[in-house]
CSV table of all heavy atoms in Angstrom, one decimal:
chain,number,residue,atom,x,y,z
A,1,GLY,N,-76.7,114.9,-44.6
A,1,GLY,CA,-77.2,113.5,-44.5
A,1,GLY,C,-77.1,113.0,-43.1
A,1,GLY,O,-77.9,112.1,-42.7
A,2,GLY,N,-76.0,113.4,-42.4
A,2,GLY,CA,-75.8,113.0,-41.1
A,2,GLY,C,-76.9,113.5,-40.2
A,2,GLY,O,-77.3,112.9,-39.2
A,3,HIS,N,-77.3,114.8,-40.4
A,3,HIS,CA,-78.4,115.4,-39.7
A,3,HIS,C,-79.7,114.6,-39.9
A,3,HIS,O,-80.4,114.3,-39.0
A,3,HIS,CB,-78.6,116.8,-40.2
A,3,HIS,CG,-79.7,117.5,-39.5
A,3,HIS,ND1,-81.0,117.5,-39.9
A,3,HIS,CD2,-79.7,118.3,-38.3
A,3,HIS,CE1,-81.8,118.2,-39.1
A,3,HIS,NE2,-81.0,118.7,-38.1
A,4,LEU,N,-79.9,114.2,-41.1
A,4,LEU,CA,-81.1,113.4,-41.4
A,4,LEU,C,-81.1,112.0,-40.8
A,4,LEU,O,-82.1,111.6,-40.2
A,4,LEU,CB,-81.3,113.2,-43.0
A,4,LEU,CG,-82.5,112.6,-43.5
A,4,LEU,CD1,-83.8,113.2,-42.9
A,4,LEU,CD2,-82.5,112.6,-45.0
A,5,VAL,N,-79.9,111.4,-40.7
A,5,VAL,CA,-79.8,110.1,-40.0
A,5,VAL,C,-80.0,110.3,-38.5
A,5,VAL,O,-80.6,109.4,-37.9
A,5,VAL,CB,-78.5,109.4,-40.4
A,5,VAL,CG1,-78.2,108.2,-39.5
A,5,VAL,CG2,-78.4,109.0,-41.9
A,6,ALA,N,-79.4,111.3,-38.0
A,6,ALA,CA,-79.6,111.6,-36.6
A,6,ALA,C,-81.1,111.9,-36.3
A,6,ALA,O,-81.6,111.5,-35.2
A,6,ALA,CB,-78.7,112.8,-36.1
A,7,ASN,N,-81.7,112.5,-37.2
A,7,ASN,CA,-83.2,112.9,-37.1
A,7,ASN,C,-84.0,111.6,-37.0
A,7,ASN,O,-84.9,111.5,-36.1
A,7,ASN,CB,-83.6,113.7,-38.2
A,7,ASN,CG,-85.0,114.4,-38.0
A,7,ASN,OD1,-85.5,115.1,-38.9
A,7,ASN,ND2,-85.5,114.3,-36.8
A,8,ILE,N,-83.8,110.6,-37.9
A,8,ILE,CA,-84.5,109.4,-37.8
A,8,ILE,C,-84.2,108.6,-36.5
A,8,ILE,O,-85.0,107.9,-35.9
A,8,ILE,CB,-84.3,108.5,-39.0
A,8,ILE,CG1,-85.4,107.4,-39.1
A,8,ILE,CG2,-83.0,107.8,-39.1
A,8,ILE,CD1,-86.8,107.9,-39.5
A,9,SER,N,-82.9,108.7,-36.1
A,9,SER,CA,-82.5,108.1,-34.8
A,9,SER,C,-83.2,108.6,-33.6
A,9,SER,O,-83.6,107.9,-32.7
A,9,SER,CB,-81.0,108.3,-34.6
A,9,SER,OG,-80.2,107.7,-35.6
A,10,CYS,N,-83.4,109.9,-33.6
A,10,CYS,CA,-84.0,110.6,-32.5
A,10,CYS,C,-85.6,110.6,-32.5
A,10,CYS,O,-86.2,110.7,-31.5
A,10,CYS,CB,-83.5,112.0,-32.3
A,10,CYS,SG,-81.8,112.1,-31.9
A,11,GLU,N,-86.1,110.5,-33.7
A,11,GLU,CA,-87.6,110.7,-33.9
A,11,GLU,C,-88.3,109.6,-34.7
A,11,GLU,O,-89.3,109.8,-35.2
A,11,GLU,CB,-87.9,112.1,-34.5
A,11,GLU,CG,-87.3,113.2,-33.7
A,11,GLU,CD,-88.0,114.5,-34.0
A,11,GLU,OE1,-87.6,115.1,-35.1
A,11,GLU,OE2,-88.9,114.9,-33.3
A,12,HIS,N,-87.7,108.4,-34.7
A,12,HIS,CA,-88.3,107.3,-35.3
A,12,HIS,C,-89.7,107.0,-34.7
A,12,HIS,O,-90.6,106.5,-35.4
A,12,HIS,CB,-87.4,106.0,-35.3
A,12,HIS,CG,-87.1,105.6,-33.9
A,12,HIS,ND1,-87.8,104.8,-33.1
A,12,HIS,CD2,-86.0,105.9,-33.1
A,12,HIS,CE1,-87.3,104.7,-31.9
A,12,HIS,NE2,-86.1,105.3,-31.9
A,13,MET,N,-89.9,107.3,-33.5
A,13,MET,CA,-91.1,107.0,-32.8
A,13,MET,C,-92.3,108.0,-33.2
A,13,MET,O,-93.4,107.7,-33.0
A,13,MET,CB,-91.0,107.0,-31.3
A,13,MET,CG,-90.7,108.4,-30.7
A,13,MET,SD,-89.1,109.2,-31.2
A,13,MET,CE,-88.0,108.1,-30.3
A,14,ARG,N,-91.9,109.0,-33.9
A,14,ARG,CA,-92.9,110.0,-34.4
A,14,ARG,C,-93.4,109.8,-35.8
A,14,ARG,O,-94.3,110.5,-36.3
A,14,ARG,CB,-92.3,111.5,-34.4
A,14,ARG,CG,-92.0,112.0,-33.0
A,14,ARG,CD,-91.7,113.5,-33.1
A,14,ARG,NE,-92.8,114.3,-33.6
A,14,ARG,CZ,-92.7,115.2,-34.5
A,14,ARG,NH1,-91.6,115.4,-35.1
A,14,ARG,NH2,-93.8,115.9,-34.9
A,15,ILE,N,-92.9,108.8,-36.5
A,15,ILE,CA,-93.2,108.6,-37.9
A,15,ILE,C,-94.6,108.2,-38.1
A,15,ILE,O,-95.3,108.7,-39.1
A,15,ILE,CB,-92.3,107.5,-38.5
A,15,ILE,CG1,-90.8,108.0,-38.4
A,15,ILE,CG2,-92.7,107.2,-39.9
A,15,ILE,CD1,-90.5,109.3,-39.1
A,16,GLU,N,-95.2,107.4,-37.3
A,16,GLU,CA,-96.7,107.1,-37.4
A,16,GLU,C,-97.5,108.4,-37.3
A,16,GLU,O,-98.5,108.6,-38.1
A,16,GLU,CB,-97.1,106.1,-36.4
A,16,GLU,CG,-98.6,105.7,-36.6
A,16,GLU,CD,-99.0,104.5,-35.7
A,16,GLU,OE1,-98.2,104.1,-34.8
A,16,GLU,OE2,-100.1,104.1,-35.8
A,17,GLU,N,-97.2,109.2,-36.4
A,17,GLU,CA,-97.9,110.5,-36.3
A,17,GLU,C,-97.7,111.4,-37.5
A,17,GLU,O,-98.7,112.0,-38.0
A,17,GLU,CB,-97.3,111.3,-35.1
A,17,GLU,CG,-97.8,112.7,-34.9
A,17,GLU,CD,-97.0,113.5,-33.9
A,17,GLU,OE1,-96.3,112.8,-33.1
A,17,GLU,OE2,-97.0,114.7,-33.9
A,18,LEU,N,-96.5,111.4,-38.1
A,18,LEU,CA,-96.3,112.2,-39.3
A,18,LEU,C,-96.8,111.6,-40.6
A,18,LEU,O,-97.2,112.4,-41.5
A,18,LEU,CB,-94.8,112.5,-39.4
A,18,LEU,CG,-94.1,113.3,-38.2
A,18,LEU,CD1,-92.6,113.3,-38.4
A,18,LEU,CD2,-94.7,114.7,-38.2
A,19,TYR,N,-96.7,110.3,-40.7
A,19,TYR,CA,-97.0,109.6,-41.9
A,19,TYR,C,-98.5,109.1,-42.0
A,19,TYR,O,-99.0,109.0,-43.1
A,19,TYR,CB,-96.1,108.4,-42.1
A,19,TYR,CG,-96.2,107.7,-43.4
A,19,TYR,CD1,-96.1,108.3,-44.6
A,19,TYR,CD2,-96.5,106.3,-43.4
A,19,TYR,CE1,-96.2,107.5,-45.8
A,19,TYR,CE2,-96.6,105.6,-44.5
A,19,TYR,CZ,-96.5,106.2,-45.8
A,19,TYR,OH,-96.6,105.5,-46.9
A,20,GLY,N,-99.1,108.9,-40.8
A,20,GLY,CA,-100.4,108.4,-40.8
A,20,GLY,C,-100.6,106.9,-40.5
A,20,GLY,O,-101.6,106.4,-40.3
A,21,LYS,N,-99.5,106.2,-40.7
A,21,LYS,CA,-99.4,104.8,-40.3
A,21,LYS,C,-98.0,104.4,-40.0
A,21,LYS,O,-97.0,105.1,-40.4
A,21,LYS,CB,-99.9,103.9,-41.5
A,21,LYS,CG,-99.3,104.1,-42.8
A,21,LYS,CD,-100.0,103.3,-43.9
A,21,LYS,CE,-99.3,103.6,-45.3
A,21,LYS,NZ,-100.0,102.8,-46.3
A,22,PRO,N,-97.8,103.3,-39.3
A,22,PRO,CA,-96.4,103.0,-38.8
A,22,PRO,C,-95.5,102.5,-39.9
A,22,PRO,O,-95.9,101.9,-40.9
A,22,PRO,CB,-96.7,101.9,-37.8
A,22,PRO,CG,-97.9,101.2,-38.2
A,22,PRO,CD,-98.8,102.3,-38.8
A,23,LEU,N,-94.2,102.9,-39.8
A,23,LEU,CA,-93.2,102.4,-40.7
A,23,LEU,C,-92.1,101.8,-39.8
A,23,LEU,O,-91.8,102.3,-38.7
A,23,LEU,CB,-92.6,103.5,-41.5
A,23,LEU,CG,-93.5,104.1,-42.6
A,23,LEU,CD1,-92.8,105.3,-43.2
A,23,LEU,CD2,-94.0,103.1,-43.6
A,24,ASP,N,-91.5,100.7,-40.2
A,24,ASP,CA,-90.5,100.0,-39.4
A,24,ASP,C,-89.2,100.7,-39.7
A,24,ASP,O,-88.4,100.3,-40.6
A,24,ASP,CB,-90.5,98.5,-39.8
A,24,ASP,CG,-89.6,97.7,-38.9
A,24,ASP,OD1,-88.9,98.3,-38.0
A,24,ASP,OD2,-89.6,96.4,-39.0
A,25,CYS,N,-88.8,101.7,-39.0
A,25,CYS,CA,-87.8,102.6,-39.4
A,25,CYS,C,-86.7,102.9,-38.3
A,25,CYS,O,-85.9,103.8,-38.5
A,25,CYS,CB,-88.4,103.9,-39.9
A,25,CYS,SG,-89.3,104.8,-38.7
A,26,LYS,N,-86.7,102.2,-37.2
A,26,LYS,CA,-85.7,102.5,-36.2
A,26,LYS,C,-84.4,101.8,-36.7
A,26,LYS,O,-84.3,100.6,-36.9
A,26,LYS,CB,-86.1,101.9,-34.8
A,26,LYS,CG,-85.0,102.2,-33.8
A,26,LYS,CD,-85.4,101.7,-32.4
A,26,LYS,CE,-84.3,102.0,-31.4
A,26,LYS,NZ,-84.7,101.5,-30.0
A,27,PRO,N,-83.3,102.6,-36.8
A,27,PRO,CA,-82.0,102.0,-37.2
A,27,PRO,C,-81.5,101.1,-36.1
A,27,PRO,O,-81.7,101.3,-34.9
A,27,PRO,CB,-81.1,103.2,-37.4
A,27,PRO,CG,-82.0,104.4,-37.5
A,27,PRO,CD,-83.2,104.1,-36.7
A,28,THR,N,-80.8,100.1,-36.6
A,28,THR,CA,-80.1,99.2,-35.6
A,28,THR,C,-78.9,100.0,-34.9
A,28,THR,O,-78.7,99.9,-33.7
A,28,THR,CB,-79.5,98.0,-36.3
A,28,THR,OG1,-80.6,97.3,-37.0
A,28,THR,CG2,-78.8,97.0,-35.3
A,29,ALA,N,-78.2,100.7,-35.7
A,29,ALA,CA,-77.2,101.7,-35.2
A,29,ALA,C,-76.9,102.5,-36.5
A,29,ALA,O,-77.3,102.2,-37.6
A,29,ALA,CB,-75.9,100.9,-34.7
A,30,VAL,N,-76.1,103.6,-36.2
A,30,VAL,CA,-75.9,104.6,-37.3
A,30,VAL,C,-74.4,105.0,-37.3
A,30,VAL,O,-73.7,104.9,-36.3
A,30,VAL,CB,-76.8,105.8,-37.2
A,30,VAL,CG1,-78.3,105.4,-37.3
A,30,VAL,CG2,-76.5,106.6,-36.0
A,31,GLY,N,-74.0,105.5,-38.5
A,31,GLY,CA,-72.7,106.1,-38.7
A,31,GLY,C,-73.0,107.6,-39.1
A,31,GLY,O,-73.7,107.9,-40.0
A,32,LEU,N,-72.4,108.5,-38.4
A,32,LEU,CA,-72.5,109.9,-38.6
A,32,LEU,C,-71.2,110.5,-39.0
A,32,LEU,O,-70.3,110.6,-38.2
A,32,LEU,CB,-73.1,110.7,-37.4
A,32,LEU,CG,-74.4,110.1,-36.8
A,32,LEU,CD1,-74.8,110.9,-35.6
A,32,LEU,CD2,-75.5,110.2,-37.9
A,33,SER,N,-71.1,110.9,-40.3
A,33,SER,CA,-69.8,111.4,-40.8
A,33,SER,C,-69.9,112.9,-40.9
A,33,SER,O,-70.7,113.5,-41.6
A,33,SER,CB,-69.6,110.8,-42.2
A,33,SER,OG,-69.5,109.4,-42.2
A,34,TYR,N,-69.0,113.6,-40.2
A,34,TYR,CA,-69.0,115.1,-40.1
A,34,TYR,C,-70.4,115.6,-40.1
A,34,TYR,O,-70.7,116.5,-41.0
A,34,TYR,CB,-68.1,115.7,-41.2
A,34,TYR,CG,-68.1,115.1,-42.5
A,34,TYR,CD1,-69.0,115.5,-43.5
A,34,TYR,CD2,-67.1,114.1,-42.9
A,34,TYR,CE1,-69.0,114.9,-44.8
A,34,TYR,CE2,-67.1,113.6,-44.2
A,34,TYR,CZ,-68.1,114.0,-45.1
A,34,TYR,OH,-68.0,113.5,-46.4
A,35,PRO,N,-71.2,115.2,-39.2
A,35,PRO,CA,-72.7,115.5,-39.3
A,35,PRO,C,-73.0,116.9,-38.8
A,35,PRO,O,-72.4,117.5,-38.0
A,35,PRO,CB,-73.3,114.5,-38.3
A,35,PRO,CG,-72.2,114.4,-37.2
A,35,PRO,CD,-70.9,114.4,-38.0
A,36,VAL,N,-74.1,117.5,-39.5
A,36,VAL,CA,-74.7,118.7,-39.0
A,36,VAL,C,-75.6,118.3,-37.8
A,36,VAL,O,-76.5,117.4,-38.0
A,36,VAL,CB,-75.5,119.4,-40.1
A,36,VAL,CG1,-76.3,120.6,-39.5
A,36,VAL,CG2,-74.6,119.8,-41.2
A,37,ILE,N,-75.4,118.9,-36.6
A,37,ILE,CA,-76.2,118.5,-35.5
A,37,ILE,C,-77.1,119.6,-34.9
A,37,ILE,O,-78.2,119.4,-34.5
A,37,ILE,CB,-75.3,117.9,-34.4
A,37,ILE,CG1,-74.6,116.6,-34.9
A,37,ILE,CG2,-76.0,117.7,-33.1
A,37,ILE,CD1,-75.6,115.5,-35.1
A,38,TYR,N,-76.5,120.8,-34.9
A,38,TYR,CA,-77.3,121.9,-34.3
A,38,TYR,C,-77.2,123.1,-35.2
A,38,TYR,O,-76.4,123.2,-36.1
A,38,TYR,CB,-76.8,122.3,-32.9
A,38,TYR,CG,-75.4,122.9,-32.8
A,38,TYR,CD1,-75.2,124.2,-32.4
A,38,TYR,CD2,-74.3,122.1,-33.2
A,38,TYR,CE1,-74.0,124.8,-32.4
A,38,TYR,CE2,-73.0,122.7,-33.1
A,38,TYR,CZ,-72.9,124.0,-32.7
A,38,TYR,OH,-71.6,124.6,-32.6
A,39,ASN,N,-78.2,124.0,-35.1
A,39,ASN,CA,-78.4,125.1,-36.1
A,39,ASN,C,-77.2,126.0,-36.3
A,39,ASN,O,-76.9,126.3,-37.4
A,39,ASN,CB,-79.7,125.9,-35.7
A,39,ASN,CG,-79.7,126.4,-34.3
A,39,ASN,OD1,-78.7,126.3,-33.6
A,39,ASN,ND2,-80.9,126.8,-33.9
A,40,VAL,N,-76.5,126.4,-35.2
A,40,VAL,CA,-75.3,127.2,-35.3
A,40,VAL,C,-74.2,126.4,-36.0
A,40,VAL,O,-73.3,127.0,-36.6
A,40,VAL,CB,-74.9,127.8,-34.0
A,40,VAL,CG1,-73.7,128.7,-34.1
A,40,VAL,CG2,-76.0,128.6,-33.4
A,41,GLY,N,-74.3,125.1,-35.9
A,41,GLY,CA,-73.2,124.3,-36.5
A,41,GLY,C,-73.2,124.3,-38.0
A,41,GLY,O,-72.1,124.1,-38.6
A,42,HIS,N,-74.3,124.6,-38.6
A,42,HIS,CA,-74.3,124.8,-40.1
A,42,HIS,C,-75.7,125.3,-40.4
A,42,HIS,O,-76.6,124.6,-40.9
A,42,HIS,CB,-74.0,123.6,-40.9
A,42,HIS,CG,-73.8,123.9,-42.3
A,42,HIS,ND1,-74.6,123.6,-43.3
A,42,HIS,CD2,-72.7,124.5,-42.9
A,42,HIS,CE1,-74.2,124.0,-44.5
A,42,HIS,NE2,-73.0,124.6,-44.3
């Protein structure tokens, strides 16, 4: 879930491209608890 939250943090600007219309989805700030960040990491 930390990976997913980091994903929206880093790629919120791509959502219109992926979804077909804009969504107001940039987090104000996030908390990442023992997050998965890179592929070798988990």
Side-chain angles (χ1 to χ4, degrees):
H3 180 269
L4 186 53
V5 170
N7 196 185
I8 196 73
S9 295
C10 295
E11 300 200 281
H12 56 87
M13 71 293 292
R14 292 190 64 227
I15 297 302
E16 183 173 2
E17 170 193 342
L18 297 171
Y19 183 60
K21 55 184 177 181
L23 295 175
D24 190 354
C25 61
K26 181 180 179 180
T28 303
V30 300
L32 304 179
S33 302
Y34 39 88
V36 174
I37 294 298
Y38 68 113
N39 49 14
V40 179
H42 192 253

